Amino acid sequence: MAEKIHLKLRIRRYQPERNPKAWWDEYELEMGPMDRLLDALNEVKWHHDGTLAMRRSCAHGICGSDAMLINGRNALACKVMVKDIAPKARVEPLRGLPVIRDLIVDMEPFFAGYRSVLPYLVNDEEPPDTERLQTPEEHAEFEDTTKCILCACCTTSCPIFWGDDGYVGPAAIVNAHRFIFDSRDEAGRTRMKILAGKTGAFRCRTTFNCTEACPRTIKVTRAIQEVKRATLFDRF
Ligand code: FES
């Protein structure tokens, strides 16, 4: 039988009806060699304390719902192997967003920033009979930023976002980039105007926290710099 891995898991808890202040709970778990941190959290929820509140869905790094602060770094619990963090791990809700309960944060400020940059294709021309075509070279300009799953790992690792709730944050700029550089889109200038304002791309101080945190390995800081450059040189 495969050897078990011992994990001492500390979880930051917050349940205002039980205690107006956040507290830490600690669990001693025996996990399998292929288990992820999400399995350990499920173990706690299913066998130790059913009141533990957290978001998760796909368990395969696609939906982005189980982003959290793991040993001081943002990551998806379903993509962190227990064997890589044992024997101890500390799990907290994402920073910079209001905590609703345990590991669940209010994502509305994050999505407000996302919505503000028009994160969809704008093209008022008569639609063609088939797809709106583009060359592989045109597609390569924004391919990296299509990988975003809106988990908020980048935005909530950004010190500017922590201190300025007006800043739209890295994920919003990544999603603006995805359409600004799309040859089929016509609203690049509008988006760049939005991002040239005091809540936009020039708030970025290139700390690279966002790039390090992205579970999809998007070059977030680079995308932000490309948006800044396109704005400064009036590329569109
Ligand atoms: S549960 Fe979907 S990304 Fe982890």
Side-chain angles (χ1 to χ4, degrees):
M1 208 163 94
E3 214 166 294
K4 290 283 184 188
I5 298 173
H6 185 79
L7 179 68
K8 184 186 278 202
L9 183 58
R10 294 190 83 212
I11 305 176
R12 189 151 172 93
R13 309 293 304 270
Y14 175 63
Q15 299 189 354
E17 76 285 2
R18 282 173 70 183
N19 187 340
K21 283 192 179 154
W23 74 95
W24 291 91
D25 274 343
E26 203 167 275
Y27 302 91
E28 304 281 349
L29 307 170
E30 299 301 324
M31 303 304 300
M34 296 308 290
D35 282 338
R36 289 93 33 93
L37 178 62
L38 179 60
D39 299 306
L41 290 166
N42 283 335
E43 173 73 16
V44 170
K45 184 163 177 68
W46 295 338
H47 301 290
H48 295 258
D49 182 352
T51 71
L52 175 65
M54 60 191 191
R55 290 194 179 104
R56 78 280 195 209
S57 180
C58 71
H60 287 87
I62 299 299
C63 73
S65 58
D66 61 343
M68 52 190 77
L69 192 62
I70 301 165
N71 288 341
R73 298 181 92 107
N74 282 355
L76 301 174
C78 65
K79 289 193 75 177
V80 173
M81 299 295 289
V82 167
K83 67 178 162 63
D84 293 336
I85 52 172
K88 280 192 210 161
R90 202 179 70 240
V91 174
E92 301 166 64
L94 294 173
R95 288 199 182 128
L97 292 170
V99 180
I100 297 174
R101 191 174 180 82
D102 293 339
L103 300 173
I104 296 180
V105 292
D106 179 2
M107 295 286 282
E108 180 47 32
F110 170 80
F111 283 115
Y114 170 69
R115 285 193 301 267
S116 74
V117 300
L118 317 180
Y120 41 80
L121 189 90
V122 178
N123 188 322
D124 292 334
E125 283 171 17
E126 195 61 31
D129 293 335
T130 60
E131 304 89 5
R132 296 183 197 273
L133 297 177
Q134 64 185 174
T135 66
E137 291 74 26
E138 285 169 335
H139 183 76
E141 287 217 41
F142 65 94
E143 185 171 15
D144 194 39
T145 46
T146 63
K147 295 187 297 188
C148 178
I149 55 173
L150 296 174
C151 64
C153 277
C154 61
T155 295
T156 59
S157 67
C158 171
I160 305 298
F161 183 79
W162 297 336
D164 178 356
D165 56 12
Y167 177 40
V168 295
I173 304 170
V174 159
N175 282 279
H177 179 286
R178 185 256 170 269
F179 291 102
I180 287 171
F181 290 89
D182 188 332
S183 58
R184 300 163 297 185
D185 183 85
E186 293 177 335
R189 270 181 177 234
T190 311
R191 288 190 199 89
M192 288 192 297
K193 220 174 181 175
I194 295 165
L195 290 172
K198 63 180 188 325
T199 60
F202 291 93
R203 298 290 287 124
C204 168
R205 293 291 178 270
T206 53
T207 56
F208 283 87
N209 283 16
C210 50
T211 302
E212 282 176 24
C214 179
R216 306 284 292 171
T217 65
I218 298 170
K219 296 180 187 70
V220 180
T221 314
R222 179 174 161 167
I224 297 171
Q225 298 313 309
E226 286 178 355
V227 169
K228 285 183 191 173
R229 259 200 304 274
T231 308
L232 286 173
F233 298 110
D234 197 17
R235 179 177 154 168
F236 294 91

